Amino acid sequence: MSDKKNWPLWEVFVRSKNGLEHRHCGSLHAADEDMALENARDVYTRRSEGVSIWVVESKNITASNPENNGEMFEPAHDKVYRHPTFYDLPDEVKHM
Amino acid sequence: MSEEQIKNLETQFEARIARDEKIEPKDWMPEKYRKTHIRQMSQHAHSEIVGMLPEGNWITRAPSLRRKVALLAKVQDEAGHGLYLYSACETLGVSREELYEQLHSGKAKYSSIFNYPTVTWADMGAVGWLVDGAAIINQVPLCNTSYGPYARAMVRVCKEESFHQRQGYEIMIKLANGTPEQKELAQDALNRWWWPSLMMLGPTDAESIHTEQSMKWKLKRKSNDDLRQQFIDQTVPQAELIGLTIPDADLKWNEERQSYDFGEINWDEFWQVVKGHGPMNKERMKARVGAWEEGEWVRDAAMAYAEKKQERKQKQAI
């Protein structure tokens, strides 16, 4: 193995068509951002799966830790009043 | 963590999988789950990468432009499938370099079928029809496996794979309907690839050491023998349709089982090939390791160029 550094890891996000969001579809290795984009095109859009690609070097992503999901997402659990079904309406009101 | 705590986590983990919940990379998982997945996913990735070699052999000699573009696209797909699977495997904390190292040193296995030679053009037909056919049967159930990144990669792979089998079968149709020599080529390819394709679905259930645990983790949804029966039942009529004969004297429709009975598989041959004594094991590894080593200067140059560009950008910013 050479003493040079290995190509870093990039995360790939593809917008399948205008009007839809970019979605994470996998990762790949590339020396720099230009190569990452070209590799992403060849690896993830060989059948016209995309109209736009984002690549982000994996080390730049900050992720939440599933072990802390309890504390992290707990505040949303007891706030049922954020949902429309929490509110009582007379049956006569058909659409609201 | 105490032993009891780990036991507890393991029980919760198994329950999640039993409820059909997916496991994602940062979730807690038993060490054995992680190791088993690295082993199976990397084996799968290696098979895609080594699988390019027998077909790459015929790209320059494809008999028409139509055949050539199709074969090129198929081989490129296999590179892509290898990359999806390597990247899914890396989410478990193993590096790409380690995975390559395991392949190149012989520590990791790849599908034994790729250790057979592709000696005529008809082999491109037989490989697409039979080898990709068997692979699809193996892979479709994995779209629902418990490990999220593996399942997602398999969905992509399966979507792309069905053209591979069709292009192979089309080659066989053409040859089977051609001159007597062409038909003979097709029959000869079927004769050579039939049994290795059956072996490709893995050892019989009695000898398969990983089945039980793999079933629990949904790494496997059907046993090797069930998959093999499915493959035979679906392939025999396809051979009959184009006038080719399956090279098995014991092959017979079983009315009661609504399935084909078939002859004895030569498992000695299978284990010989797995252990490295197949006709092409050495050749395949030589080609793979050679490509990796000869490409080293290209990878280094790309990295050096990327660093130079980065430095230039930083200087300009100052």
Side-chain angles (χ1 to χ4, degrees):
Chain A
M1 198 170 276
S2 84
D3 51 359
K4 295 267 170 45
K5 272 186 261 166
N6 293 316
W7 290 359
L9 188 67
W10 301 75
E11 299 301 322
V12 180
F13 300 81
V14 172
R15 184 202 294 289
S16 58
K17 61 177 189 188
N18 277 13
L20 295 179
E21 68 280 58
H22 284 79
R23 273 182 76 170
H24 182 247
C25 64
S27 58
L28 49 78
H29 290 267
D32 60 26
E33 60 271 29
D34 296 331
M35 190 196 279
L37 269 181
E38 280 170 12
N39 287 0
R41 178 200 58 194
D42 292 345
V43 177
Y44 292 105
T45 64
R46 284 194 304 285
R47 286 173 176 77
S48 316
E49 291 96 334
V51 295
S52 164
I53 301 175
W54 290 347
V55 290
V56 183
E57 209 180 321
S58 309
K59 68 173 187 201
N60 292 327
I61 290 184
T62 308
S64 64
N65 183 347
E67 276 171 36
N68 304 331
N69 272 7
E71 309 90 284
M72 185 77 175
F73 299 106
E74 187 279 333
H77 290 336
D78 57 355
K79 297 184 176 55
V80 283
Y81 46 86
R82 283 178 173 162
H83 298 278
T85 45
F86 178 74
Y87 300 92
D88 297 326
L89 288 184
D91 289 345
E92 291 75 25
V93 182
K94 294 276 188 262
H95 306 287
M96 184 178 283
Chain B
M1 232 182 293
S2 76
E3 236 168 78
E4 202 192 316
Q5 278 172 311
I6 292 180
K7 196 103 203 103
N8 224 334
L9 282 171
E10 273 174 12
T11 313
Q12 285 173 21
F13 181 84
E14 300 293 346
R16 286 182 67 190
I17 293 184
R19 283 196 302 270
D20 262 335
E21 274 182 42
K22 298 287 180 202
I23 307 302
E24 294 295 343
K26 293 188 138 204
D27 293 349
W28 184 88
M29 61 185 77
E31 194 48 27
K32 194 165 169 227
Y33 182 90
R34 201 181 76 89
K35 285 224 171 89
T36 304
H37 277 76
I38 290 177
R39 197 194 66 234
Q40 176 162 335
M41 288 158 75
S42 66
Q43 253 180 38
H44 199 157
H46 298 328
S47 300
E48 298 281 356
I49 297 302
V50 177
M52 289 193 282
L53 298 170
E55 290 177 301
N57 185 29
W58 280 92
I59 292 174
T60 56
R61 289 173 286 166
S64 69
L65 186 59
R66 180 186 157 93
R67 295 288 180 230
K68 188 171 186 154
V69 290
L71 188 58
L72 255 176
K74 178 179 191 288
V75 171
Q76 198 190 4
D77 271 353
E78 274 146 19
H81 297 173
L83 293 175
Y84 306 156
L85 289 162
Y86 280 131
S87 88
C89 199
E90 284 171 82
T91 61
L92 289 170
V94 60
S95 74
R96 183 74 61 94
E97 287 67 35
E98 284 170 77
L99 295 172
Y100 285 162
E101 217 285 309
Q102 289 169 1
L103 172 64
H104 297 164
S105 67
K107 195 180 153 217
K109 297 271 182 276
Y110 55 88
S111 181
S112 60
I113 193 99
F114 301 120
N115 291 317
Y116 290 86
T118 45
V119 292
T120 75
W121 169 251
D123 287 2
M124 294 304 96
V127 167
W129 174 35
L130 302 173
V131 177
D132 287 86
I136 291 170
I137 283 188
N138 231 338
Q139 288 169 349
V140 167
L142 288 173
C143 295
N144 286 315
T145 190
S146 64
Y147 189 55
Y150 193 25
R152 291 191 287 274
M154 289 321 299
V155 169
R156 297 183 71 92
V157 169
C158 288
K159 261 192 209 157
E160 298 180 352
E161 199 104 352
S162 72
F163 116 70
H164 297 182
Q165 195 188 10
R166 285 179 177 218
Q167 70 90 37
Y169 191 54
E170 198 191 83
I171 291 172
M172 293 304 260
I173 297 173
K174 200 82 177 172
L175 290 172
N177 289 303
T179 64
E181 288 84 2
Q182 286 173 323
K183 185 162 185 187
E184 209 181 295
L185 275 182
Q187 182 62 54
D188 167 63
L190 172 58
N191 291 349
R192 283 180 292 108
W193 289 94
W194 175 253
W195 292 101
S197 300
L198 298 190
M199 295 175 201
M200 185 184 157
L201 292 156
T204 51
D205 297 346
E207 299 212 18
S208 180
I209 44 174
H210 303 302
T211 295
E212 200 187 332
Q213 180 69 77
S214 294
M215 288 269 188
K216 235 164 87 193
W217 288 338
K218 297 172 184 171
L219 258 176
K220 219 177 210 322
R221 323 246 20 195
K222 283 184 181 177
S223 76
N224 293 349
D225 287 336
D226 287 348
L227 293 170
R228 195 164 9 249
Q229 186 71 58
Q230 186 187 339
F231 174 73
I232 292 169
D233 290 348
Q234 113 184 3
T235 311
V236 173
Q238 293 167 358
E240 282 169 358
L241 189 68
I242 57 176
L244 296 180
T245 312
I246 303 283
D248 178 357
D250 298 321
L251 189 80
K252 217 174 121 226
W253 178 250
N254 183 324
E255 193 58 42
E256 196 182 318
R257 286 199 308 124
Q258 288 292 302
S259 254
Y260 284 93
D261 292 333
F262 55 97
E264 192 84 29
I265 294 173
N266 180 356
W267 290 111
D268 285 344
E269 175 183 324
F270 174 77
W271 291 115
Q272 282 298 315
V273 180
V274 169
K275 283 176 188 143
H277 309 303
M280 297 296 277
N281 295 58
K282 287 207 179 78
E283 178 66 29
R284 297 289 181 244
M285 270 310 99
K286 203 176 128 206
R288 171 61 206 158
V289 174
W292 179 248
E293 286 174 354
E294 282 159 33
E296 186 175 298
W297 70 271
V298 180
R299 297 192 299 276
D300 289 349
M303 204 61 227
Y305 178 64
E307 280 168 359
K308 199 172 90 182
K309 266 201 317 193
Q310 188 64 30
E311 276 168 29
R312 204 178 290 154
K313 234 196 225 163
Q314 279 165 352
K315 267 191 203 141
Q316 273 171 358
I318 299 170

